[in-house]
Amino acid sequence: QAAADPMSSSDAPEDGPKETSSVSQNISDADAFKILLEMKMKKRQKKPNLPSTVTELDTEDGSKVYVVGTAHFSDSSKKDVVKTIQEVQPDVVVVELCQYRVSMLKMDEKTLLKEAKEINLEKLQQAIKQNGVMSGLMQMLLLKVSAHITEQLGMAPGGEFREAFKEASKVPFCKFHLGDRPIPVTFKRAIAALSFWQKVKLAWGLCFLSDPISKDDVEKCKQKDLLEQMMAEMIGEFPDLHRTIVSERDIYLTYMLKQAAKQIELPRASETEPRKYTPAVVVGVVGMGHVPGIEKNWNSDLNIQEIMSVPPPSASSKIFKFVIKATIFGLMGYGCYRIGQRTVQFILSMPAAQSYLQKLTEIRSSH
């Protein structure tokens, strides 16, 4: 109001601030809601100028979904996300994250870069405690792949999700949804899909990943997300693993986007005001590798119950789990043995111990 009706300090009466305050208080909640909605609709472009990485999808009730396909390690992807949200002023923003990775939204780039590079025993123990031995190891191996890219590029993952979170907070009445399947479910289903030797072969490939990556390589992967492309190359011979890590998540992401795209209730200033509904505008931020799958599943009736279940561990999983545990305990036992052996040798080399042993020898010889 002050900006709309400016008044110089010399012309303003002494009780000016009080009058301004009383005028501000006269704005009803209904007017405040109306002003915010008008601001939002004014900014929302009827024919938005969208990046080439955006795929537009429609629902039966008229809602629109703009899916931004991103490379998880790309500055241009972050710009695409910001531009799309600013152009369409969405009601909901959905990102390819689950509750187990939501912390990356509020961490700064420097901290994330440090976290991604530091994969230690404590993180391994935490992953195993949270997801079990097999899934924990799989999670740490995938983190190693991500850390390898991070180290090569000097860029932390998830920048496009952080930008989406920031921009969504600037849009009035915009909700922010996590759209990915929980990591423990994905890993447990992935492990269950592999035989014993497939698990060993995959772990070996992930452990010795060392190919150099350039920023140009990342931008070339705009047609397919870099992290998922590297994974696809390693798991190409394991179609069941590809199904659990990529195809099933395509279905889950599609389902979450369709849920977010249901007609929304307009904000009400009071409970007495009648309810009004309108088609939603949704922005989805996902890895480029998931976009074809989302398009494929968009017009299908989806049931995610089946892909949310965790099958019981197979015989090969039990054997692999036993081998891992036996190896860990074996290494711990050998370490204790070596430490004990060195400790004994150290004690025996001390002058006091040498003198004591000599006395024992003399006593024995005298008898």
Side-chain angles (χ1 to χ4, degrees):
Q1 286 183 335
D5 187 20
M7 185 182 296
S8 66
S9 57
S10 59
D11 295 331
E14 290 182 2
D15 58 347
K18 293 181 181 178
E19 286 186 4
T20 304
S21 177
S22 63
V23 172
S24 299
Q25 289 172 359
N26 288 334
I27 298 178
S28 66
D29 288 343
D31 289 336
F33 277 112
K34 187 177 179 181
I35 291 169
L36 283 171
L37 277 173
E38 285 177 354
M39 286 173 58
K40 179 174 180 175
M41 293 307 174
K42 190 175 181 180
K43 286 185 177 181
R44 182 179 285 177
Q45 302 295 321
K46 290 183 179 179
K47 292 184 179 179
N49 180 22
L50 299 172
S52 60
T53 53
V54 176
T55 300
E56 187 176 338
L57 301 168
D58 299 305
T59 67
E60 293 177 357
D61 59 14
S63 295
K64 286 193 174 291
V65 178
Y66 300 92
V67 182
V68 188
T70 67
H72 292 319
F73 294 83
S74 168
D75 285 327
S76 63
S77 283
K78 291 190 280 187
K79 293 174 184 175
D80 290 351
V81 169
V82 171
K83 183 174 178 60
T84 303
I85 292 175
Q86 289 177 348
E87 287 281 315
V88 306
Q89 292 290 295
D91 303 300
V92 186
V93 172
V94 181
V95 296
E96 185 198 328
L97 286 176
C98 69
Q99 65 266 36
Y100 292 91
R101 292 186 291 158
V102 73
S103 61
M104 73 160 54
L105 292 175
K106 295 187 177 181
M107 293 172 71
D108 61 85
E109 197 86 5
K110 187 177 179 181
T111 304
L112 277 166
L113 196 60
K114 184 180 177 183
E115 286 284 320
K117 289 180 179 180
E118 292 180 356
I119 298 179
N120 49 37
L121 185 59
E122 185 180 347
K123 286 186 179 179
L124 176 60
Q125 289 173 335
Q126 187 178 357
I128 290 174
K129 185 179 179 181
Q130 188 179 69
N131 304 316
V133 175
M134 294 303 304
S135 298
L137 288 171
M138 172 69 99
Q139 181 178 346
M140 292 309 295
L141 288 172
L142 289 175
L143 278 175
K144 184 180 183 297
V145 176
S146 180
H148 171 64
I149 302 173
T150 298
E151 189 174 1
Q152 293 280 317
L153 300 180
M155 183 188 299
E160 72 274 34
F161 303 138
R162 288 188 290 282
E163 290 298 327
F165 183 67
K166 290 175 190 174
E167 286 302 315
S169 67
K170 300 175 186 177
V171 179
F173 311 115
C174 182
K175 297 179 180 178
F176 191 86
H177 289 185
L178 303 176
D180 202 3
R181 184 172 65 177
I183 281 180
V185 176
T186 297
F187 285 152
K188 286 174 183 176
R189 287 184 62 84
I191 290 297
L194 297 176
S195 68
F196 172 75
W197 291 112
Q198 284 176 327
K199 291 183 181 79
V200 173
K201 192 170 183 179
L202 177 65
W204 182 266
L206 291 171
C207 282
F208 291 94
L209 178 73
S210 59
D211 294 337
I213 303 160
S214 68
K215 288 190 177 183
D216 289 337
D217 292 331
V218 179
E219 296 309 321
K220 287 176 185 176
C221 290
K222 294 284 280 190
Q223 299 306 311
K224 195 169 186 182
D225 179 68
L226 177 64
L227 181 58
E228 286 172 5
Q229 179 169 332
M230 293 179 70
M231 285 301 302
E233 289 174 358
M234 285 185 287
I235 65 178
E237 59 188 287
F238 311 135
D240 289 334
L241 190 59
H242 185 273
R243 172 177 53 80
T244 55
I245 290 180
V246 181
S247 301
E248 288 184 359
R249 287 173 60 226
D250 289 345
I251 294 171
Y252 191 91
L253 286 164
T254 307
Y255 178 84
M256 296 302 287
L257 286 168
K258 291 179 82 170
Q259 289 295 111
K262 289 183 176 180
Q263 284 199 333
I264 61 169
E265 181 183 347
L266 290 173
R268 295 185 297 161
S270 66
E271 293 296 325
T272 57
E273 190 177 330
R275 296 176 184 272
K276 294 180 182 178
Y277 295 86
T278 184
V281 173
V282 178
V283 170
V285 183
V286 304
M288 181 60 79
H290 290 293
V291 176
I294 291 171
E295 287 187 277
K296 178 184 174 183
N297 293 303
W298 189 250
N299 295 315
S300 304
D301 291 327
L302 303 174
N303 183 355
I304 63 169
Q305 295 303 316
E306 183 182 344
I307 62 171
M308 288 298 290
S309 63
V310 179
S314 62
S316 64
S317 292
K318 291 178 180 177
I319 293 171
F320 193 68
K321 185 176 179 180
F322 174 78
V323 169
I324 292 294
K325 282 187 174 180
T327 303
I328 292 171
F329 283 117
L331 289 171
M332 287 175 64
Y334 179 72
C336 291
Y337 165 74
R338 292 292 296 171
I339 291 170
Q341 191 180 42
R342 289 179 181 178
T343 302
V344 170
Q345 289 175 351
F346 175 74
I347 292 171
L348 291 177
S349 64
M350 294 175 68
Q354 293 284 349
S355 174
Y356 182 73
L357 287 173
Q358 188 176 0
K359 286 181 180 179
L360 283 176
T361 305
E362 289 175 356
I363 291 170
R364 277 191 175 185
S365 60
S366 63
H367 286 287

